[in-house]
């Protein structure tokens, strides 16, 4: 695996040698890349965390009194929506706000997190990924809920480790999904180039081709430099490196055939 990384740094056109990479090294490299990207993202966590906790405190002051009775949220206040830069909070004891509306609003607003206290559940949407937690499933009381979202918990080392682990899983999922799409397009390029490489061989080369573009974007994000169309740019850059490599591969194959003649 180290030899393939050396090729990437010293001879990027020769990353086609990664077609022979062992499966365990392929998956290990994906895990390692997710870890590196997660580490880079932690440079911005402190700033975002301070902003998030400030918004959280602002919303916490706006939450009216409530009780959870037999798995149902009860309050004298009507449903309302409260938005800050990083959070959109839905208080919905009347069950008037559908989760489809929350998800749709996420696509239109800049805040990355939406949280809803609904009639029978907590509903969260974080960067488009939604989860629901029913009060009845955990025999949750209002005291349990207040303890769960207690701001003091956010400063504990254990909580920070949990957040990092969740962030790693999230980063691993995002990277794997984008790598899959890159690999699919890479196989189309390989087919056009008539390399006769298998899907997984092309996927291994695509993985190597993706490393530098993703690291560059990760470093720029860590430096708080906002780049538009990151998904598209990393995909195109990865495919360009892939194309350069398989083009070199086909040229060498043709040269070998000429020599044999």
């Amino acid at each position: 695996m180290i030899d393939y990384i050396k090729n990437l740094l010293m001879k990027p056109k020769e990353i086609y040698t990664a077609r022979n990479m062992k499966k365990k090294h392929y998956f290990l490299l994906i895990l390692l890349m997710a870890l590196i990207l997660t580490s880079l993202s932690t440079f911005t966590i402190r700033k975002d965390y301070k902003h998030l906790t400030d918004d959280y405190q602002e919303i916490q002051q706006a939450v009216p009194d409530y009780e959870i009775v037999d798995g149902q949220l009860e309050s004298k206040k009507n449903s309302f929506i409260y938005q800050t830069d990083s959070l959109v909070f839905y208080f919905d004891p009347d069950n008037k706000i559908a989760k489809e509306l929350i998800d749709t609003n996420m696509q239109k607003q800049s805040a990355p997190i939406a949280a809803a206290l609904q009639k029978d559940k907590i509903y969260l949407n974080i960067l488009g990924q939604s989860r629901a937690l029913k009060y009845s499933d955990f025999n949750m009381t209002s005291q349990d809920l207040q303890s769960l979202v207690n701001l003091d918990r956010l400063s504990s080392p254990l909580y920070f480790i949990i957040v990092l682990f969740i962030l790693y899983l999230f980063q691993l999922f995002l990277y794997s999904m984008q790598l899959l799409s890159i690999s699919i397009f890479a196989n189309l390029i390989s087919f056009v180039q008539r390399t006769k490489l298998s899907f997984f061989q092309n996927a291994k080369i695509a993985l190597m081709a993706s490393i530098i573009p993703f690291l560059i974007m990760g470093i720029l994000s860590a430096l708080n430099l906002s780049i538009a169309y990151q998904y598209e740019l990393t995909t195109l850059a990865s495919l360009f490196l892939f194309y350069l490599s398989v083009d070199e591969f086909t040229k060498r194959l043709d040269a070998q055939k000429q020599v044999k003649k």
Side-chain angles (χ1 to χ4, degrees):
M1 186 172 71
I2 295 176
D3 290 336
Y4 301 132
I5 295 174
K6 285 181 179 178
N7 269 350
L8 175 63
L9 298 175
M10 306 297 293
K11 302 174 183 178
K13 281 189 176 182
E14 296 183 14
I15 58 173
Y16 62 80
T17 57
R19 71 190 187 280
N20 299 319
M21 183 188 300
K22 293 180 179 179
K23 288 183 180 181
K24 64 178 181 180
H25 289 159
Y26 172 80
F27 292 109
L28 180 61
L29 195 52
I30 291 176
L31 295 174
L32 180 60
M33 274 297 295
L35 180 62
I36 293 173
L37 293 173
T38 302
S39 299
L40 288 172
S41 68
T42 58
F43 284 96
T44 59
I45 282 181
R46 289 187 179 181
K47 179 182 176 181
D48 294 339
Y49 177 79
K50 178 64 168 60
H51 195 183
L52 180 63
T53 52
D54 289 345
D55 287 351
Y56 179 89
Q57 287 176 328
E58 180 181 336
I59 287 176
Q60 205 172 32
Q61 294 174 359
V63 178
D65 293 333
Y66 63 85
E67 292 288 338
I68 297 178
V69 181
D70 296 327
Q72 302 286 305
L73 183 69
E74 303 287 348
S75 178
K76 296 180 180 179
K77 298 291 184 178
N78 296 326
S79 300
F80 68 87
I81 302 173
Y82 195 102
Q83 180 170 356
T84 66
D85 291 337
S86 58
L87 284 167
V88 181
F89 175 71
Y90 298 81
F91 187 75
D92 188 26
D94 304 321
N95 217 27
K96 291 182 178 179
I97 305 171
K99 68 181 185 66
E100 289 78 13
L101 176 62
I102 299 173
D103 293 340
T104 301
N105 288 345
M106 281 294 293
Q107 301 172 12
K108 301 176 182 178
Q109 63 202 21
S110 58
I113 300 174
L117 292 184
Q118 297 188 297
K119 186 68 177 178
D120 61 343
K121 63 182 177 294
I122 305 171
Y123 187 74
L124 295 173
N125 188 311
I126 302 175
L127 296 173
Q129 303 296 314
S130 58
R131 292 290 183 274
L133 176 67
K134 286 193 173 184
Y135 310 128
S136 58
D137 289 344
F138 296 88
N139 295 318
M140 193 176 292
T141 66
S142 55
Q143 290 77 20
D144 294 331
L145 181 57
Q146 290 167 5
S147 177
L148 180 66
V149 298
N150 191 337
L151 192 63
D152 294 336
R153 287 174 171 263
L154 303 182
S155 59
S156 71
L158 179 59
Y159 185 87
F160 187 70
I161 292 172
I162 293 173
V163 168
L164 286 180
F165 180 69
I166 294 173
L167 183 61
Y168 173 73
L169 293 179
F170 185 69
Q171 188 68 65
L172 177 62
F173 173 78
L174 291 179
Y175 180 61
S176 298
M177 289 300 100
Q178 188 169 356
L179 182 60
L180 177 61
S181 65
I182 292 171
S183 298
I184 292 172
F185 283 110
N187 270 273
L188 292 177
I189 294 173
S190 180
F191 176 77
V192 172
Q193 291 290 101
R194 299 179 180 179
T195 63
K196 296 183 179 179
L197 296 172
S198 69
F199 181 93
F200 196 45
Q201 284 179 315
N202 286 317
K204 293 173 184 177
I205 302 171
L207 169 61
M208 299 305 300
S210 73
I211 290 176
I212 291 178
F214 272 89
L215 288 180
I216 290 175
M217 284 299 177
I219 292 170
L220 291 176
S221 296
L223 296 174
N224 290 322
L225 297 176
S226 179
I227 306 296
Y229 305 108
Q230 289 192 21
Y231 184 95
E232 291 81 0
L233 289 174
T234 50
T235 298
L236 289 175
S238 300
L239 291 174
F240 178 70
L241 289 175
F242 177 88
Y243 168 76
L244 290 180
S245 182
V246 295
D247 184 58
E248 180 70 17
F249 177 62
T250 53
K251 286 179 181 177
R252 295 200 179 191
L253 283 180
D254 291 340
Q256 290 174 3
K257 291 178 181 178
Q258 292 296 327
V259 171
K260 290 180 179 180
K261 289 182 180 180

